[in-house]
Amino acid sequence: MDGAREPWWSDATIYQIYPRSFQDSDGDGEGDLAGIVQRLEHVAALGADAVWLSPIYPSPMADGGYDVADYEGVRPTFGTLADADALIAAAHRLGLKVVFDAVPCHTSIEHPWFVERPEFYTWSDRDGPQNNWRSTFGGGAWARDPHGRGWYLHSFYPEQPDLDWRNPEVAEAFGAALRFWLARGVDGFRLDALDRLLKDPERRDDRVRDASSSPVLPEDDAGYAQLEHDRSRNAPDIGTAIAQLRAAAGDAFLVGEVYLRSEQLAPYLDALDTAFSFELFQAPWTAGAVRGALAAAAALGDGRAAWVLSNHDFPRLPNRVGAANVRAAALLLLSLPGTAFVFQGDEIGMADGQGRGPGAEPDDRHGRDRHRHPMVWDASPQGGFTSGTPWLPVNDPGGVNVADQERDPGSILRLYRDLIALRRTALRGPLALLADRAPGVVAFTRGDDHVVALNLGDAPAAAPAAGTVLRHTHDLARSDSAAPGTLAPGEGFVAVRS
Ligand code: GLC
Ligand code: MG
């Protein structure tokens, strides 16, 4: 390419680490930064280009660390600033970039700013809620200030007061935090809850959903699902706030978490490198829905959508698409052009767990513990995660674990490795959906040479004409032979035209 080097994130694979649940190094039952360093080889061997770490900052952990009490520190349970420096250096030595999680929408209620800089936050103009806005996690979005200064806005838990991005000093203070980490070697940021940064300046009520547009409504008529959330987020001038984040981050990689349809992402993409396609993430596992989401994201331009099928907020892949489809889901994710994100544990087919167990108080009040169980490294009683008592039980270590799958050429782990290797070396060029394919099948080409096909249906279906298999979802013996004419449910392949 005429000397113009592609940025590192184009077509990259980024591995999401949930630090609390990756590897414990000191026996306290919680994962930590030194533990992550011990396991980076696993990520490098997978072929990933980068790691994204969910928040590691000081936090009262009302929202698993997404309630940040100091943007420029490390939560002691995770380690120290020196440990963060060591992790960044160790990753770089292995050729891995490091992406941190940046949480600009809100701080923890225990952040010193909440007391010292009340003008950084979003206050009601009256002694009570200013409008009908609801918190994502249930209940009204306004709470009475424990310090007696009125009512503040919280788009998420009450322990997470929303910053006011209409105050230029907020952008300045937050930008300083981004630069703090960039100076320590971080290569980019995943930006949390971006559609919440700017709300309607007049703070009008969110519109109530039209019954015709959403037939099934929860009985609670004040519930979150009843509102369009058209005024409590995604203000028309949202791009100005995103541009301030870009100005602070220079040319570092920025991926946005934006819960909007693909066609609404343009103002975000003006300043970001990419934004997650939640349309694909939330699409039901059917050929029609997946094709629709791919087409909508492709309309943004190749590589503008980042692909993700799993993270710490939603049911894991076996629970969402079905255990029989996790291989096809990997094939889809890792064959798409643009940045793709793999959540820790997906590479071994980890399923949701039980959370803390019956009767125990959950860590996350919104019910997400099940998706956050510790990584299972081997078949030992604590799965190699900790020598102590894990903060969430380790799921059935004798079931799926890294060590067993390392030894098994037919494992999901080996499939992830092979697909990531193909992604790096062979799969190039734009995606074009193949119109001519059987019902239940999603098929597309990458560039002129490669064909990807998978069966999302529940009946065998004809495969498109495809040439020679490079990797089949299930059967290694099919490599280098002619692509199959029929795909069983959950089956798929990458092939090269002969
Ligand atoms: C994002 C995070 C989620 C968190 C929320 C509020 O959606 O992924 O875990 O609860 O933002 O910060
Ligand atoms: Mg620990």
Side-chain angles (χ1 to χ4, degrees):
M1 277 185 82
D2 306 344
R5 286 214 8 240
E6 298 230 313
W8 66 262
W9 59 82
S10 65
D11 292 346
T13 308
I14 302 186
Y15 184 89
Q16 181 191 354
I17 291 177
Y18 196 71
R20 217 175 171 187
S21 297
F22 198 56
Q23 178 63 52
D24 178 23
S25 72
D26 60 2
D28 69 352
E30 288 213 29
D32 43 53
L33 301 186
I36 293 172
V37 171
Q38 292 170 14
R39 296 292 189 183
L40 280 178
E41 297 270 2
H42 167 77
V43 184
L46 199 59
D49 301 277
V51 288
W52 151 34
L53 270 59
S54 279
I56 61 157
Y57 319 108
S59 166
M61 302 298 273
D63 185 13
Y66 285 90
D67 47 325
V68 180
D70 172 6
Y71 289 116
E72 299 179 10
V74 174
R75 177 178 174 239
T77 316
F78 287 142
T80 62
L81 273 177
D83 292 326
D85 293 341
L87 184 152
I88 295 164
H92 287 166
R93 273 197 301 277
L94 288 168
L96 295 166
K97 304 284 186 189
V98 178
V99 176
F100 269 19
D101 214 313
V103 188
C105 166
H106 43 259
T107 67
S108 161
I109 198 161
E110 292 181 27
H111 194 296
W113 290 347
F114 192 62
V115 171
E116 292 164 13
R117 306 300 303 265
E119 73 280 13
F120 277 17
Y121 295 84
T122 310
W123 299 92
S124 172
D125 64 355
R126 65 201 68 172
D127 186 22
Q130 186 172 344
N131 53 33
N132 72 347
W133 296 354
R134 309 288 296 177
S135 151
T136 307
F137 297 146
W142 298 92
R144 192 192 294 277
D145 173 33
H147 309 286
R149 297 165 300 179
W151 290 66
Y152 64 90
L153 182 69
H154 60 89
S155 293
F156 297 92
Y157 287 126
E159 294 93 330
Q160 296 166 294
D162 279 32
L163 288 165
D164 178 6
W165 276 80
R166 297 198 179 276
N167 177 348
E169 284 187 292
V170 166
E172 232 167 80
F174 193 82
L178 296 185
R179 288 193 299 275
F180 174 87
W181 289 109
L182 291 171
R184 301 191 97 93
V186 162
D187 301 284
F189 298 97
R190 176 265 191 188
L191 297 165
D192 187 73
L194 281 190
D195 46 296
R196 300 282 177 169
L197 281 200
L198 290 184
K199 293 92 175 168
D200 178 28
E202 294 168 48
R203 302 198 185 157
R204 287 169 291 179
D205 274 2
D206 274 337
R207 264 190 292 255
V208 174
R209 245 183 216 186
D210 183 346
S212 65
S213 74
S214 72
V216 191
L217 293 173
E219 274 169 40
D220 172 10
D221 72 324
Y224 187 80
Q226 286 235 292
L227 299 175
E228 295 283 2
H229 312 290
D230 52 328
R231 307 255 170 68
S232 54
R233 60 175 184 160
N234 194 34
D237 58 344
I238 187 81
T240 58
I242 311 297
Q244 287 172 306
L245 289 166
R246 168 53 78 198
D251 60 2
F253 170 66
L254 296 181
V255 53
E257 186 205 34
V258 183
Y259 278 103
L260 294 170
R261 292 190 311 280
S262 299
E263 78 238 29
Q264 298 172 288
L265 293 177
Y268 299 83
L269 290 174
D270 282 348
L272 303 178
D273 296 300
T274 179
F276 293 119
S277 164
F278 284 106
E279 214 167 322
L280 181 69
F281 194 136
Q282 290 168 345
W285 192 249
T286 66
V290 166
R291 286 169 61 86
L294 292 178
L300 296 168
D302 259 327
R304 296 315 312 274
W307 307 109
V308 58
L309 291 178
S310 173
N311 67 24
H312 59 291
D313 289 328
F314 296 100
R316 280 184 165 275
L317 281 168
N319 303 79
R320 222 158 50 72
V321 305
N325 291 313
V326 294
R327 286 167 180 260
L331 174 75
L332 173 67
L333 175 76
L334 296 169
S335 301
L336 295 171
T339 319
F341 285 76
V342 173
F343 182 39
Q344 67 176 53
D346 285 349
E347 76 277 30
I348 51 172
M350 252 179 92
D352 280 349
Q354 298 291 312
R356 288 220 151 128
E361 183 155 337
D363 184 81
D364 179 53
R365 281 129 64 193
H366 194 54
R368 293 170 294 180
D369 291 352
R370 289 168 299 149
H371 329 313
R372 301 174 174 179
H373 283 267
M375 188 66 186
V376 193
W377 298 103
D378 58 45
S380 67
Q382 299 304 356
F385 167 68
T386 181
S387 58
T389 307
W391 74 283
L392 273 180
V394 179
N395 287 337
D396 179 25
V400 300
N401 68 65
V402 172
D404 286 352
Q405 295 201 16
E406 285 279 1
R407 289 188 285 266
D408 174 7
S411 67
I412 296 182
L413 177 60
R414 297 288 195 95
L415 174 67
Y416 268 79
R417 270 193 207 155
D418 291 349
L419 290 172
I420 292 171
L422 281 174
R423 176 176 182 77
R424 281 195 157 190
T425 55
L427 293 178
R428 286 276 163 265
L431 171 147
L433 283 167
L434 288 174
D436 174 24
R437 43 90 219 173
V441 170
V442 168
F444 54 87
T445 53
R446 289 289 312 273
D448 293 333
D449 298 332
H450 291 89
V451 179
V452 178
L454 52 144
N455 184 356
L456 294 80
D458 43 23
T468 306
V469 170
L470 294 175
R471 187 55 156 99
H472 182 271
T473 44
H474 293 76
D475 188 358
L476 281 173
R478 285 189 184 268
S479 299
D480 301 323
S481 41
T486 308
L487 290 173
E491 186 183 357
F493 58 74
V494 186
V496 61
R497 282 177 169 152
S498 3

